[in-house]
Amino acid sequence: MSVRFGPARVREVLDDLDRPCYVVRADGRIGAMSHPPRPGSGVQVLAAAPPVSTRQLGSAAFLRDHGAEQPYMAGSMAGGISSEELVIALARTGHLASFGAAGLSADRIERAVLRLHRDAPGLPWACNLIHSPATPEAERQAVDLYLRHRVRCVEASAFLRPTPDLVRYRAAGLRGGPGTPVRADNRVIAKVSQAGTAEFFLRPAPAELLAALVREGHITAGQAELAARVPLADDITVEADSAGHTDRRPLVTQLPLITALRDREALAGRPGGTVRIGAAGGIGTPQAAFAAFSLGAAYIVTGSVNQACVEAGTSTAAKALLAEADIGDCAMAPAADMFEMGIDVQVLKRGTLFPGRAAWLYRLYREHEGLHDLSPQDRGRLEEQIFHRPLDEVWPEVAAYLRAHRPGQAERAERTPKLRMALVFRWYLGLSSRWAAHGEAGRAGDFQIWCGPAMGAFNAWVDGTPWAAPGNRRVADIARSLLRGAAYHSRLAQLRFAGVTLPPSCATYRPPTGAPHAVGAYGRPERPSLSGVQ
């Protein structure tokens, strides 16, 4: 190949990631080429960058242990929004994804697990295991199911401390002998946002929990001994400013902090030194993906950007709202599962009244002792705008559900007006996410759609391309493009650090502008749009 001159031709060389890139001066002009100039040609090399593989952006051990081809994971979105279709589509293209089991019944989770075993055998996939203090039986049932059906990887989220069921899942899959490495058949990917939570995942399971599980016959003494030799998690995902439950902490502070914790474990010779650290939250563009890898992430995790894709298990109406979101179109609102604790989740505020209505419910809960204590004006607003029926009809429905599923809580609520009010408000909060997922007619103003700023960043990136329409978005295409874009930006960084200034038209990796779903394979260069190049 001869020297390429002009922004468009230079872009072609930059984008050919499978070959090296040489920025050169020839005949007084700056250009690029994919092979070194011949000696004596008069062509001067100003900077060079080697080929870039998307596989090499992250951890080879992550790929090996999870059977993945790429250092990429789609995190679980509750209520089956991370659907079987989404998980299978990514698994078949070498990406790890986690089924959104949180909030689903055991029967529904079991159907999903059976399908994943059938349609993605031997491929990388996981299921969510969420800790919910209000419903510990759900965690127990999920672990029973995962052990029974040999689910080999879980994404553990919302854990504030080790629980017996999480430890049981981990220990039940351990194999090994004295003086030999421990093999963990049951892998745990922990999702955390704070260093304190990361610490217990870096350490072995607590001895008292292991002893109790042995006494109760849930694990063997041998498994308990092995569990004392390995960390509770194989991987820890540092979740920054993300959709749903989030502390909204910046990735640039949290990822190095937790990586340093891991490195201290390694320096002390403890088993947690082998835990891989991944990055999540705010990853909706190639630049964000590259930034995460530059901070040392072993893998990246996406969430919000997948929710508007064809395969996501949510409604067309919700996807349309997500595809219109800007970076600032998010707000914090009370969480259904931790309402009384004042814990918030990050949701979409554009196109829905949910954030304001949910915040008002929490203010009522804080200021009143029960539904009987509400003013006529507040009661009227609740009945007209929130519940669409008299309050006297709402509690019997909530109570009937509780008596069938949580009889102890129903009995306490009958005696405690404050708890009864919280449960009625939680009923609305819980249904609001289902209304969004199902596209409930007449309830668009109450849609609870979990969303982080990554969604707005992604929408800005794909503006003017076929991916602007959610009907053209497919999870595997987006995964490939984000990773190839991250690799492209890693090449730009190498050249920039060598002192090369590239034309603005070469400074951003753009999504494909051709036919939808035509993203190239990793081994062949894609051709991003060159529109606007002079």
Side-chain angles (χ1 to χ4, degrees), residues 164-313:
D165 290 302
L166 175 64
V167 172
R168 175 164 65 99
Y169 173 83
R170 178 64 160 171
L174 297 177
R175 291 187 287 126
T180 63
V182 180
R183 176 172 176 175
D185 289 336
N186 294 346
R187 301 182 302 279
V188 174
I189 302 174
K191 188 186 296 184
V192 309
S193 59
Q194 299 183 19
T197 309
E199 285 181 337
F200 73 74
F201 278 112
L202 288 167
R203 302 288 175 85
E208 60 273 17
L209 278 184
L210 292 170
L213 289 169
V214 171
R215 286 196 305 271
E216 295 163 6
H218 294 303
I219 63 174
T220 67
Q223 289 169 334
E225 292 173 2
L226 294 175
R229 294 167 50 189
V230 297
L232 190 54
D234 301 278
D235 305 273
I236 292 177
T237 301
V238 180
E239 189 175 40
D241 195 3
S242 63
H245 285 289
T246 178
D247 292 326
R248 306 186 84 177
R249 299 184 179 184
L251 189 65
V252 293
T253 60
Q254 295 307 99
L255 186 63
L257 178 66
I258 293 176
T259 299
L261 287 179
R262 188 276 314 277
D263 292 344
R264 284 200 287 273
E265 295 294 302
L267 290 172
R270 292 191 286 264
T274 63
V275 174
R276 297 171 292 261
I277 309 297
I283 300 177
T285 63
Q287 294 98 320
F290 167 62
F293 286 123
S294 296
L295 287 169
Y299 57 97
I300 59 171
V301 180
T302 56
S304 295
V305 299
N306 302 319
Q307 195 173 183
C309 289
V310 171
E311 300 91 345

Side-chain angles (χ1 to χ4, degrees), residues 10 14 23 30-31 46-47 492 495-504 506-507:
V10 169
L14 289 170
V23 178
I30 304 298
L46 302 178
L492 295 187
L495 296 174
R496 185 172 68 252
F497 294 153
V500 170
T501 300
L502 294 166
C506 298

Side-chain angles (χ1 to χ4, degrees), residues 103-117:
L104 299 179
S105 68
D107 289 344
R108 173 68 180 87
I109 298 172
E110 185 168 35
R111 290 198 301 273
V113 167
L114 291 174
R115 182 178 174 191
L116 292 171
H117 273 306

Side-chain angles (χ1 to χ4, degrees), residues 19-72:
R19 305 176 70 183
C21 173
Y22 296 89
V23 178
V24 300
R25 180 183 286 114
D27 300 325
R29 303 168 65 193
I30 304 298
M33 54 197 307
S34 293
H35 60 80
R38 295 189 307 273
S41 63
V43 177
Q44 177 188 4
V45 175
L46 302 178
V52 186
S53 166
T54 55
R55 288 176 57 90
Q56 295 174 334
L57 293 172
S59 163
F62 177 86
L63 304 183
R64 181 193 66 235
D65 290 356
H66 293 289
E69 296 178 11
Q70 300 295 328
Y72 184 100

Side-chain angles (χ1 to χ4, degrees), residues 103-451:
L104 299 179
S105 68
D107 289 344
R108 173 68 180 87
I109 298 172
E110 185 168 35
R111 290 198 301 273
V113 167
L114 291 174
R115 182 178 174 191
L116 292 171
H117 273 306
R118 183 187 72 235
D119 293 348
L123 297 177
W125 57 268
C127 284
N128 184 220
L129 177 63
I130 190 167
H131 175 59
S132 178
T135 56
E137 65 277 6
E139 183 182 334
R140 182 173 60 254
Q141 290 172 357
V143 169
D144 288 343
L145 190 155
Y146 294 158
L147 292 176
R148 184 166 67 251
H149 290 292
R150 297 181 182 276
V151 173
R152 292 309 191 189
C153 185
V154 300
E155 185 185 32
S157 56
F159 283 86
L160 303 176
R161 62 185 182 280
T163 65
D165 290 302
L166 175 64
V167 172
R168 175 164 65 99
Y169 173 83
R170 178 64 160 171
L174 297 177
R175 291 187 287 126
T180 63
V182 180
R183 176 172 176 175
D185 289 336
N186 294 346
R187 301 182 302 279
V188 174
I189 302 174
K191 188 186 296 184
V192 309
S193 59
Q194 299 183 19
T197 309
E199 285 181 337
F200 73 74
F201 278 112
L202 288 167
R203 302 288 175 85
E208 60 273 17
L209 278 184
L210 292 170
L213 289 169
V214 171
R215 286 196 305 271
E216 295 163 6
H218 294 303
I219 63 174
T220 67
Q223 289 169 334
E225 292 173 2
L226 294 175
R229 294 167 50 189
V230 297
L232 190 54
D234 301 278
D235 305 273
I236 292 177
T237 301
V238 180
E239 189 175 40
D241 195 3
S242 63
H245 285 289
T246 178
D247 292 326
R248 306 186 84 177
R249 299 184 179 184
L251 189 65
V252 293
T253 60
Q254 295 307 99
L255 186 63
L257 178 66
I258 293 176
T259 299
L261 287 179
R262 188 276 314 277
D263 292 344
R264 284 200 287 273
E265 295 294 302
L267 290 172
R270 292 191 286 264
T274 63
V275 174
R276 297 171 292 261
I277 309 297
I283 300 177
T285 63
Q287 294 98 320
F290 167 62
F293 286 123
S294 296
L295 287 169
Y299 57 97
I300 59 171
V301 180
T302 56
S304 295
V305 299
N306 302 319
Q307 195 173 183
C309 289
V310 171
E311 300 91 345
T314 193
S315 66
T316 301
K319 292 175 184 179
L321 290 175
L322 287 163
E324 294 294 325
D326 201 349
I327 291 176
D329 287 335
C330 302
M332 301 302 291
D337 54 346
M338 298 182 181
F339 177 76
E340 296 94 322
M341 300 168 62
I343 302 299
D344 289 337
V345 290
Q346 187 159 216
V347 298
L348 183 68
K349 67 179 179 181
R350 182 171 182 166
T352 173
L353 300 173
F354 172 78
R357 289 178 172 178
W360 179 61
L361 291 182
Y362 186 66
R363 287 198 299 273
L364 292 180
Y365 172 75
R366 291 288 304 272
E367 295 170 2
H368 298 277
E369 293 306 313
L371 296 173
H372 67 282
D373 191 35
L374 299 176
S375 69
Q377 293 80 7
D378 286 337
R379 189 178 184 93
R381 182 182 172 189
L382 281 173
E383 294 179 339
E384 180 180 344
Q385 297 183 8
I386 305 295
F387 298 110
H388 295 189
R389 58 173 136 167
L391 280 176
D392 292 340
E393 295 180 7
V394 177
W395 171 244
E397 181 176 328
V398 176
Y401 173 85
L402 292 172
R403 282 193 292 269
H405 297 86
R406 302 173 208 162
Q409 192 175 48
E411 184 179 343
R412 290 193 303 274
E414 293 287 0
R415 303 190 305 266
T416 313
K418 187 85 166 178
L419 175 59
R420 188 158 63 247
M421 178 168 62
L423 293 171
V424 167
F425 290 172
R426 284 171 60 182
W427 174 86
Y428 166 79
L429 298 176
L431 284 179
S432 62
S433 59
R434 294 183 192 141
W435 291 331
H438 299 152
E440 189 77 20
R443 281 292 190 174
D446 298 289
F447 282 2
Q448 179 183 179
I449 303 173
W450 302 304
C451 182

